[in-house]
Amino acid sequence: MMTAVFLHFTGNCREALDYYASIFEVEPKDVATYGEAPSNSGESANRDQIMYSEIDVRGLRVMLSDMPDGIPATVGDNVSIVIESNDLEDLQTMYAKFEANSKIYMPLEATFWSKGYAMIADKFGVQWHFSYAEFLNVSS
């Protein structure tokens, strides 16, 4: 199991990604836009915005994205904690413990990029992502 930090933006993720990458002198990894998602994903209005990207900040995995319409990202509290596991049952068990008292933005389910992914805000307003560790190849 792994944890990471996820930074959320509302249209300026690419600018932030380039900025942080230059400061830490790293290359962004796994950059994908909403326009690269399958056409049934419903994100066509945000085609050029970043759906996912990441950088390594001295050993800390930092993920960055522009949030889809309807999911808040307020400057100052636009950080999430990511729980990633290569054990889907483990991920489902942890998600279930949060589920009853949380606002569910995306329930834990298979997506085109993962065998299991969820996004919630817990009863304290902290945003959490649950992610199966092995990303599916979205370009095929």
Side-chain angles (χ1 to χ4, degrees):
M1 187 167 286
M2 185 278 311
T3 57
V5 175
F6 209 138
L7 305 177
H8 307 289
F9 300 88
T10 56
N12 60 341
C13 181
R14 187 172 306 278
E15 178 184 355
L17 177 64
D18 292 343
Y19 176 73
Y20 295 132
S22 70
I23 287 174
F24 295 107
E25 299 177 357
V26 296
E27 288 296 318
K29 298 188 306 185
D30 300 328
V31 178
T33 65
Y34 285 105
E36 295 168 322
S39 60
N40 63 355
S41 69
E43 302 298 339
S44 60
N46 304 330
R47 293 192 60 76
D48 295 329
Q49 292 183 357
I50 293 180
M51 184 176 78
Y52 181 84
S53 61
E54 69 178 67
I55 58 174
D56 182 320
V57 177
R58 300 185 180 187
L60 174 65
R61 185 175 177 189
V62 178
M63 303 170 181
L64 304 91
S65 77
D66 285 305
M67 294 303 283
D69 292 337
I71 299 178
T74 305
V75 174
D77 64 0
N78 54 334
V79 177
S80 295
I81 300 170
V82 178
I83 302 295
E84 186 175 270
S85 179
N86 57 5
D87 180 338
L88 190 55
E89 187 175 313
D90 178 48
L91 203 62
Q92 291 166 332
T93 299
M94 187 165 298
Y95 173 81
K97 292 178 182 179
F98 275 98
E99 192 173 23
N101 296 308
S102 298
K103 180 172 183 176
I104 309 299
Y105 295 118
M106 291 179 67
L108 183 61
E109 60 189 17
T111 67
F112 67 89
W113 72 85
S114 176
K115 292 180 181 177
Y117 185 83
M119 189 182 332
I120 67 155
D122 70 18
K123 66 182 182 176
F124 302 105
V126 175
Q127 293 191 35
W128 296 81
H129 297 247
F130 300 83
S131 182
Y132 183 72
E134 184 179 330
F135 286 93
L136 302 176
N137 186 353
V138 298
S139 60
S140 20

